[in-house]
mmCIF file of all heavy atoms in Angstrom:
data_model
loop_
_atom_site.group_PDB
_atom_site.id
_atom_site.type_symbol
_atom_site.label_atom_id
_atom_site.label_comp_id
_atom_site.label_asym_id
_atom_site.label_seq_id
_atom_site.Cartn_x
_atom_site.Cartn_y
_atom_site.Cartn_z
ATOM 1 N N ILE A 20 -41.337 -212.335 157.282
ATOM 2 C CA ILE A 20 -42.496 -213.033 156.753
ATOM 3 C C ILE A 20 -43.238 -213.727 157.908
ATOM 4 O O ILE A 20 -44.476 -213.838 157.953
ATOM 5 C CB ILE A 20 -42.003 -214.047 155.755
ATOM 6 C CG1 ILE A 20 -41.512 -213.443 154.454
ATOM 7 C CG2 ILE A 20 -43.118 -215.068 155.442
ATOM 8 C CD1 ILE A 20 -42.789 -212.711 153.658
ATOM 9 N N GLU A 21 -42.496 -214.283 158.874
ATOM 10 C CA GLU A 21 -43.059 -215.002 159.960
ATOM 11 C C GLU A 21 -43.941 -214.137 160.762
ATOM 12 O O GLU A 21 -44.925 -214.744 161.402
ATOM 13 C CB GLU A 21 -41.976 -215.599 160.944
ATOM 14 C CG GLU A 21 -41.187 -216.656 160.247
ATOM 15 C CD GLU A 21 -41.916 -217.889 160.035
ATOM 16 O OE1 GLU A 21 -42.782 -218.316 160.781
ATOM 17 O OE2 GLU A 21 -41.780 -218.505 158.855
ATOM 18 N N PHE A 22 -43.863 -212.832 160.840
ATOM 19 C CA PHE A 22 -44.705 -212.103 161.589
ATOM 20 C C PHE A 22 -46.138 -211.968 160.932
ATOM 21 O O PHE A 22 -47.128 -211.577 161.546
ATOM 22 C CB PHE A 22 -44.195 -210.628 161.818
ATOM 23 C CG PHE A 22 -43.145 -210.564 162.865
ATOM 24 C CD1 PHE A 22 -41.742 -210.689 162.582
ATOM 25 C CD2 PHE A 22 -43.530 -210.355 164.175
ATOM 26 C CE1 PHE A 22 -40.828 -210.558 163.561
ATOM 27 C CE2 PHE A 22 -42.640 -210.341 165.223
ATOM 28 C CZ PHE A 22 -41.221 -210.385 164.844
ATOM 29 N N PHE A 23 -46.116 -212.154 159.641
ATOM 30 C CA PHE A 23 -47.403 -212.063 158.883
ATOM 31 C C PHE A 23 -48.220 -213.351 158.565
ATOM 32 O O PHE A 23 -48.967 -213.498 157.659
ATOM 33 C CB PHE A 23 -47.096 -211.349 157.534
ATOM 34 C CG PHE A 23 -46.585 -209.896 157.740
ATOM 35 C CD1 PHE A 23 -45.114 -209.738 157.762
ATOM 36 C CD2 PHE A 23 -47.386 -208.915 157.774
ATOM 37 C CE1 PHE A 23 -44.713 -208.441 157.971
ATOM 38 C CE2 PHE A 23 -46.956 -207.630 157.947
ATOM 39 C CZ PHE A 23 -45.594 -207.378 158.070
ATOM 40 N N ILE A 24 -47.910 -214.393 159.468
ATOM 41 C CA ILE A 24 -48.500 -215.656 159.237
ATOM 42 C C ILE A 24 -50.011 -215.538 159.713
ATOM 43 O O ILE A 24 -50.235 -215.255 160.994
ATOM 44 C CB ILE A 24 -47.864 -216.851 159.984
ATOM 45 C CG1 ILE A 24 -46.451 -216.888 159.562
ATOM 46 C CG2 ILE A 24 -48.649 -218.060 159.836
ATOM 47 C CD1 ILE A 24 -46.267 -217.425 158.088
ATOM 48 N N PRO A 25 -51.084 -215.660 158.971
ATOM 49 C CA PRO A 25 -52.403 -215.449 159.415
ATOM 50 C C PRO A 25 -52.993 -216.693 159.913
ATOM 51 O O PRO A 25 -52.702 -217.832 159.547
ATOM 52 C CB PRO A 25 -53.134 -215.071 158.044
ATOM 53 C CG PRO A 25 -52.372 -215.832 156.951
ATOM 54 C CD PRO A 25 -51.036 -215.963 157.434
ATOM 55 N N TYR A 26 -53.888 -216.561 160.878
ATOM 56 C CA TYR A 26 -54.657 -217.624 161.409
ATOM 57 C C TYR A 26 -56.026 -217.733 160.520
ATOM 58 O O TYR A 26 -56.607 -216.795 160.371
ATOM 59 C CB TYR A 26 -55.095 -217.410 162.859
ATOM 60 C CG TYR A 26 -55.968 -218.515 163.486
ATOM 61 C CD1 TYR A 26 -55.592 -219.778 163.594
ATOM 62 C CD2 TYR A 26 -57.353 -218.256 163.754
ATOM 63 C CE1 TYR A 26 -56.330 -220.758 164.112
ATOM 64 C CE2 TYR A 26 -58.106 -219.191 164.263
ATOM 65 C CZ TYR A 26 -57.733 -220.481 164.317
ATOM 66 O OH TYR A 26 -58.617 -221.489 164.864
ATOM 67 N N ASP A 27 -56.216 -218.855 160.110
ATOM 68 C CA ASP A 27 -57.464 -219.177 159.309
ATOM 69 C C ASP A 27 -58.759 -219.302 160.113
ATOM 70 O O ASP A 27 -59.067 -220.304 160.641
ATOM 71 C CB ASP A 27 -57.298 -220.447 158.465
ATOM 72 C CG ASP A 27 -58.301 -220.624 157.401
ATOM 73 O OD1 ASP A 27 -59.160 -219.722 157.174
ATOM 74 O OD2 ASP A 27 -58.576 -221.702 156.853
ATOM 75 N N LEU A 28 -59.342 -218.141 160.357
ATOM 76 C CA LEU A 28 -60.554 -218.179 161.155
ATOM 77 C C LEU A 28 -61.781 -218.839 160.370
ATOM 78 O O LEU A 28 -62.637 -219.463 161.017
ATOM 79 C CB LEU A 28 -60.916 -216.765 161.520
ATOM 80 C CG LEU A 28 -62.123 -216.551 162.463
ATOM 81 C CD1 LEU A 28 -61.947 -217.217 163.822
ATOM 82 C CD2 LEU A 28 -62.446 -215.104 162.635
ATOM 83 N N SER A 29 -61.743 -218.902 158.978
ATOM 84 C CA SER A 29 -62.839 -219.342 158.279
ATOM 85 C C SER A 29 -63.146 -220.920 158.632
ATOM 86 O O SER A 29 -64.250 -221.311 158.608
ATOM 87 C CB SER A 29 -62.545 -219.256 156.867
ATOM 88 O OG SER A 29 -62.306 -217.945 156.497
ATOM 89 N N SER A 30 -61.971 -221.607 158.985
ATOM 90 C CA SER A 30 -62.204 -222.994 159.339
ATOM 91 C C SER A 30 -62.965 -223.191 160.688
ATOM 92 O O SER A 30 -63.563 -224.097 160.855
ATOM 93 C CB SER A 30 -60.892 -223.713 159.400
ATOM 94 O OG SER A 30 -60.083 -223.117 160.508
ATOM 95 N N ARG A 31 -63.068 -222.127 161.514
ATOM 96 C CA ARG A 31 -63.788 -222.201 162.780
ATOM 97 C C ARG A 31 -65.209 -221.777 162.642
ATOM 98 O O ARG A 31 -66.030 -221.998 163.511
ATOM 99 C CB ARG A 31 -63.031 -221.456 163.816
ATOM 100 C CG ARG A 31 -61.622 -221.793 164.131
ATOM 101 C CD ARG A 31 -61.548 -223.233 164.479
ATOM 102 N NE ARG A 31 -62.099 -223.527 165.915
ATOM 103 C CZ ARG A 31 -61.277 -223.378 166.975
ATOM 104 N NH1 ARG A 31 -59.962 -223.204 166.875
ATOM 105 N NH2 ARG A 31 -61.818 -223.670 168.125
ATOM 106 N N ALA A 32 -65.512 -221.104 161.488
ATOM 107 C CA ALA A 32 -66.853 -220.490 161.286
ATOM 108 C C ALA A 32 -67.855 -221.520 160.668
ATOM 109 O O ALA A 32 -68.940 -221.095 160.217
ATOM 110 C CB ALA A 32 -66.708 -219.206 160.461
ATOM 111 N N VAL A 33 -67.461 -222.791 160.734
ATOM 112 C CA VAL A 33 -68.329 -223.773 160.156
ATOM 113 C C VAL A 33 -69.068 -224.523 161.331
ATOM 114 O O VAL A 33 -68.408 -224.893 162.338
ATOM 115 C CB VAL A 33 -67.578 -224.796 159.368
ATOM 116 C CG1 VAL A 33 -68.462 -225.910 158.714
ATOM 117 C CG2 VAL A 33 -66.873 -224.024 158.219
ATOM 118 N N GLN A 34 -70.414 -224.626 161.184
ATOM 119 C CA GLN A 34 -71.230 -225.408 162.233
ATOM 120 C C GLN A 34 -70.734 -226.943 162.179
ATOM 121 O O GLN A 34 -70.550 -227.592 161.139
ATOM 122 C CB GLN A 34 -72.688 -225.366 161.937
ATOM 123 C CG GLN A 34 -73.143 -223.930 161.821
ATOM 124 C CD GLN A 34 -73.356 -223.314 163.233
ATOM 125 O OE1 GLN A 34 -73.268 -224.024 164.250
ATOM 126 N NE2 GLN A 34 -73.650 -222.010 163.246
ATOM 127 N N ARG A 35 -70.429 -227.380 163.354
ATOM 128 C CA ARG A 35 -70.085 -228.822 163.630
ATOM 129 C C ARG A 35 -70.779 -229.427 164.659
ATOM 130 O O ARG A 35 -71.393 -228.773 165.506
ATOM 131 C CB ARG A 35 -68.623 -228.921 163.711
ATOM 132 C CG ARG A 35 -67.710 -228.594 162.583
ATOM 133 C CD ARG A 35 -66.148 -228.805 162.872
ATOM 134 N NE ARG A 35 -65.662 -227.830 163.703
ATOM 135 C CZ ARG A 35 -64.433 -227.904 164.223
ATOM 136 N NH1 ARG A 35 -63.594 -228.868 164.073
ATOM 137 N NH2 ARG A 35 -64.016 -226.871 164.980
ATOM 138 N N GLU A 36 -70.807 -230.753 164.631
ATOM 139 C CA GLU A 36 -71.481 -231.431 165.747
ATOM 140 C C GLU A 36 -70.852 -231.117 167.073
ATOM 141 O O GLU A 36 -69.659 -231.009 167.237
ATOM 142 C CB GLU A 36 -71.327 -233.000 165.466
ATOM 143 C CG GLU A 36 -72.171 -233.768 166.573
ATOM 144 C CD GLU A 36 -72.070 -235.290 166.312
ATOM 145 O OE1 GLU A 36 -71.419 -235.725 165.235
ATOM 146 O OE2 GLU A 36 -72.568 -236.016 167.140
ATOM 147 N N GLY A 37 -71.760 -230.823 168.069
ATOM 148 C CA GLY A 37 -71.232 -230.382 169.462
ATOM 149 C C GLY A 37 -70.889 -229.025 169.511
ATOM 150 O O GLY A 37 -70.360 -228.551 170.527
ATOM 151 N N ARG A 38 -71.104 -228.153 168.453
ATOM 152 C CA ARG A 38 -70.761 -226.809 168.672
ATOM 153 C C ARG A 38 -71.677 -225.936 167.669
ATOM 154 O O ARG A 38 -72.149 -226.390 166.741
ATOM 155 C CB ARG A 38 -69.289 -226.486 168.381
ATOM 156 C CG ARG A 38 -68.815 -226.683 166.872
ATOM 157 C CD ARG A 38 -67.356 -226.475 166.831
ATOM 158 N NE ARG A 38 -66.723 -227.515 167.759
ATOM 159 C CZ ARG A 38 -65.436 -227.471 168.273
ATOM 160 N NH1 ARG A 38 -64.724 -226.419 167.905
ATOM 161 N NH2 ARG A 38 -64.963 -228.375 168.942
ATOM 162 N N SER A 39 -71.832 -224.641 168.040
ATOM 163 C CA SER A 39 -72.613 -223.636 167.287
ATOM 164 C C SER A 39 -71.726 -222.383 167.180
ATOM 165 O O SER A 39 -71.093 -222.051 168.047
ATOM 166 C CB SER A 39 -73.770 -223.364 168.021
ATOM 167 O OG SER A 39 -74.620 -222.311 167.381
ATOM 168 N N VAL A 40 -71.813 -221.784 165.996
ATOM 169 C CA VAL A 40 -70.986 -220.610 165.869
ATOM 170 C C VAL A 40 -71.852 -219.514 165.193
ATOM 171 O O VAL A 40 -72.786 -219.769 164.433
ATOM 172 C CB VAL A 40 -69.825 -220.792 164.908
ATOM 173 C CG1 VAL A 40 -68.814 -221.769 165.492
ATOM 174 C CG2 VAL A 40 -70.249 -221.351 163.470
ATOM 175 N N PHE A 41 -71.653 -218.254 165.603
ATOM 176 C CA PHE A 41 -72.325 -217.148 164.960
ATOM 177 C C PHE A 41 -71.456 -215.882 164.977
ATOM 178 O O PHE A 41 -70.512 -215.728 165.899
ATOM 179 C CB PHE A 41 -73.695 -216.915 165.540
ATOM 180 C CG PHE A 41 -73.615 -216.729 167.159
ATOM 181 C CD1 PHE A 41 -73.516 -215.369 167.603
ATOM 182 C CD2 PHE A 41 -73.629 -217.698 168.066
ATOM 183 C CE1 PHE A 41 -73.444 -215.156 168.961
ATOM 184 C CE2 PHE A 41 -73.503 -217.488 169.359
ATOM 185 C CZ PHE A 41 -73.502 -216.192 169.893
ATOM 186 N N TRP A 42 -71.678 -214.893 164.137
ATOM 187 C CA TRP A 42 -70.983 -213.699 164.039
ATOM 188 C C TRP A 42 -71.569 -212.628 164.876
ATOM 189 O O TRP A 42 -72.781 -212.482 165.024
ATOM 190 C CB TRP A 42 -70.865 -213.176 162.569
ATOM 191 C CG TRP A 42 -70.247 -214.223 161.682
ATOM 192 C CD1 TRP A 42 -70.813 -215.103 160.798
ATOM 193 C CD2 TRP A 42 -68.765 -214.349 161.464
ATOM 194 N NE1 TRP A 42 -69.868 -215.793 160.150
ATOM 195 C CE2 TRP A 42 -68.661 -215.321 160.483
ATOM 196 C CE3 TRP A 42 -67.714 -213.687 161.900
ATOM 197 C CZ2 TRP A 42 -67.382 -215.762 160.049
ATOM 198 C CZ3 TRP A 42 -66.439 -214.144 161.586
ATOM 199 C CH2 TRP A 42 -66.386 -215.136 160.544
ATOM 200 N N LEU A 43 -70.805 -211.714 165.338
ATOM 201 C CA LEU A 43 -71.244 -210.483 166.116
ATOM 202 C C LEU A 43 -70.836 -209.222 165.334
ATOM 203 O O LEU A 43 -69.637 -209.141 165.051
ATOM 204 C CB LEU A 43 -70.697 -210.350 167.520
ATOM 205 C CG LEU A 43 -71.092 -211.526 168.513
ATOM 206 C CD1 LEU A 43 -70.371 -211.288 169.917
ATOM 207 C CD2 LEU A 43 -72.609 -211.475 168.684
ATOM 208 N N HIS A 44 -71.813 -208.505 164.924
ATOM 209 C CA HIS A 44 -71.522 -207.236 164.126
ATOM 210 C C HIS A 44 -71.636 -205.990 165.108
ATOM 211 O O HIS A 44 -72.437 -206.015 166.088
ATOM 212 C CB HIS A 44 -72.583 -207.094 162.974
ATOM 213 C CG HIS A 44 -72.446 -208.235 162.048
ATOM 214 N ND1 HIS A 44 -71.548 -207.998 160.928
ATOM 215 C CD2 HIS A 44 -72.897 -209.444 161.918
ATOM 216 C CE1 HIS A 44 -71.615 -209.178 160.183
ATOM 217 N NE2 HIS A 44 -72.473 -210.031 160.820
ATOM 218 N N ALA A 45 -70.979 -204.922 164.734
ATOM 219 C CA ALA A 45 -70.982 -203.719 165.619
ATOM 220 C C ALA A 45 -72.343 -203.213 165.906
ATOM 221 O O ALA A 45 -72.807 -202.825 166.975
ATOM 222 C CB ALA A 45 -69.967 -202.722 165.066
ATOM 223 N N GLN A 46 -73.173 -203.123 164.727
ATOM 224 C CA GLN A 46 -74.474 -202.594 164.834
ATOM 225 C C GLN A 46 -75.350 -203.413 165.746
ATOM 226 O O GLN A 46 -76.183 -202.892 166.611
ATOM 227 C CB GLN A 46 -75.118 -202.533 163.457
ATOM 228 C CG GLN A 46 -76.453 -201.786 163.412
ATOM 229 C CD GLN A 46 -76.300 -200.410 163.676
ATOM 230 O OE1 GLN A 46 -75.328 -199.684 163.377
ATOM 231 N NE2 GLN A 46 -77.331 -199.765 164.358
ATOM 232 N N THR A 47 -75.292 -204.774 165.673
ATOM 233 C CA THR A 47 -76.017 -205.611 166.518
ATOM 234 C C THR A 47 -75.691 -205.453 168.049
ATOM 235 O O THR A 47 -76.577 -205.409 168.803
ATOM 236 C CB THR A 47 -75.791 -207.130 166.129
ATOM 237 O OG1 THR A 47 -76.015 -207.275 164.688
ATOM 238 C CG2 THR A 47 -76.700 -207.962 166.961
ATOM 239 N N LEU A 48 -74.359 -205.292 168.219
ATOM 240 C CA LEU A 48 -73.948 -205.078 169.621
ATOM 241 C C LEU A 48 -74.373 -203.828 170.212
ATOM 242 O O LEU A 48 -74.616 -203.689 171.403
ATOM 243 C CB LEU A 48 -72.444 -205.225 169.633
ATOM 244 C CG LEU A 48 -71.831 -206.663 169.450
ATOM 245 C CD1 LEU A 48 -70.294 -206.530 169.374
ATOM 246 C CD2 LEU A 48 -72.132 -207.598 170.545
ATOM 247 N N GLU A 49 -74.405 -202.757 169.383
ATOM 248 C CA GLU A 49 -74.849 -201.425 169.825
ATOM 249 C C GLU A 49 -76.409 -201.382 170.052
ATOM 250 O O GLU A 49 -76.771 -200.671 170.988
ATOM 251 C CB GLU A 49 -74.463 -200.405 168.779
ATOM 252 C CG GLU A 49 -73.032 -200.214 168.675
ATOM 253 C CD GLU A 49 -72.644 -199.250 167.587
ATOM 254 O OE1 GLU A 49 -73.494 -198.985 166.729
ATOM 255 O OE2 GLU A 49 -71.466 -198.848 167.403
ATOM 256 N N ASP A 50 -77.154 -202.219 169.259
ATOM 257 C CA ASP A 50 -78.615 -201.995 169.343
ATOM 258 C C ASP A 50 -79.348 -203.050 170.167
ATOM 259 O O ASP A 50 -80.353 -202.797 170.702
ATOM 260 C CB ASP A 50 -79.210 -202.104 167.876
ATOM 261 C CG ASP A 50 -78.726 -200.968 167.057
ATOM 262 O OD1 ASP A 50 -78.263 -199.982 167.641
ATOM 263 O OD2 ASP A 50 -78.881 -200.943 165.813
ATOM 264 N N ASP A 51 -78.566 -204.181 170.341
ATOM 265 C CA ASP A 51 -79.331 -205.351 171.029
ATOM 266 C C ASP A 51 -78.629 -205.712 172.259
ATOM 267 O O ASP A 51 -77.496 -206.332 172.117
ATOM 268 C CB ASP A 51 -79.367 -206.524 169.972
ATOM 269 C CG ASP A 51 -80.190 -207.672 170.421
ATOM 270 O OD1 ASP A 51 -80.764 -207.496 171.653
ATOM 271 O OD2 ASP A 51 -80.380 -208.762 169.839
ATOM 272 N N ALA A 52 -79.168 -205.461 173.417
ATOM 273 C CA ALA A 52 -78.555 -205.828 174.543
ATOM 274 C C ALA A 52 -78.623 -207.352 174.836
ATOM 275 O O ALA A 52 -77.777 -207.857 175.619
ATOM 276 C CB ALA A 52 -79.334 -205.128 175.769
ATOM 277 N N ALA A 53 -79.258 -208.015 174.050
ATOM 278 C CA ALA A 53 -79.374 -209.516 174.158
ATOM 279 C C ALA A 53 -78.587 -210.170 173.081
ATOM 280 O O ALA A 53 -78.870 -211.403 172.711
ATOM 281 C CB ALA A 53 -80.870 -209.973 174.205
ATOM 282 N N ALA A 54 -77.647 -209.471 172.605
ATOM 283 C CA ALA A 54 -76.857 -210.022 171.352
ATOM 284 C C ALA A 54 -76.104 -211.282 171.798
ATOM 285 O O ALA A 54 -75.770 -212.085 170.862
ATOM 286 C CB ALA A 54 -75.833 -208.934 170.941
ATOM 287 N N LEU A 55 -75.829 -211.382 173.028
ATOM 288 C CA LEU A 55 -75.033 -212.640 173.411
ATOM 289 C C LEU A 55 -75.974 -213.655 174.034
ATOM 290 O O LEU A 55 -75.484 -214.509 174.846
ATOM 291 C CB LEU A 55 -74.009 -212.208 174.517
ATOM 292 C CG LEU A 55 -72.849 -211.432 173.957
ATOM 293 C CD1 LEU A 55 -71.812 -211.157 175.018
ATOM 294 C CD2 LEU A 55 -72.213 -212.141 172.785
ATOM 295 N N ARG A 56 -77.256 -213.640 173.747
ATOM 296 C CA ARG A 56 -78.206 -214.553 174.193
ATOM 297 C C ARG A 56 -77.780 -216.079 173.807
ATOM 298 O O ARG A 56 -77.246 -216.142 172.710
ATOM 299 C CB ARG A 56 -79.651 -214.261 173.785
ATOM 300 C CG ARG A 56 -79.789 -214.384 172.288
ATOM 301 C CD ARG A 56 -81.215 -213.998 171.959
ATOM 302 N NE ARG A 56 -81.453 -213.976 170.461
ATOM 303 C CZ ARG A 56 -81.205 -212.999 169.680
ATOM 304 N NH1 ARG A 56 -80.626 -211.875 170.262
ATOM 305 N NH2 ARG A 56 -81.329 -213.056 168.389
ATOM 306 N N ARG A 57 -77.939 -216.860 174.685
ATOM 307 C CA ARG A 57 -77.508 -218.248 174.353
ATOM 308 C C ARG A 57 -78.463 -218.877 173.333
ATOM 309 O O ARG A 57 -79.574 -218.696 173.311
ATOM 310 C CB ARG A 57 -77.456 -219.127 175.570
ATOM 311 C CG ARG A 57 -76.617 -218.670 176.629
ATOM 312 C CD ARG A 57 -76.670 -219.556 177.897
ATOM 313 N NE ARG A 57 -75.811 -218.897 178.887
ATOM 314 C CZ ARG A 57 -75.879 -219.529 180.183
ATOM 315 N NH1 ARG A 57 -76.440 -220.608 180.475
ATOM 316 N NH2 ARG A 57 -74.967 -219.037 181.122
#
């Protein structure tokens, strides 16, 4: 069972003070060379 302990990524996907979060999709990465723009 211990090998199947999941990390809860959803808790990190929330905008908080002092940080910004966004998702990267395969289609975006393939089509947009500026996908990692700040």
Side-chain angles (χ1 to χ4, degrees):
I20 287 291
E21 290 295 318
F22 282 96
F23 295 91
I24 302 296
Y26 174 68
D27 184 17
L28 184 60
S29 302
S30 62
R31 303 300 289 265
V33 179
Q34 302 284 352
R35 290 184 284 172
E36 184 178 356
R38 68 187 62 201
S39 176
V40 295
F41 57 92
W42 299 97
L43 293 178
H44 297 268
Q46 188 65 33
T47 305
L48 291 171
E49 291 171 352
D50 296 345
D51 186 2
L55 290 183
R56 61 184 180 274
R57 299 179 185 179

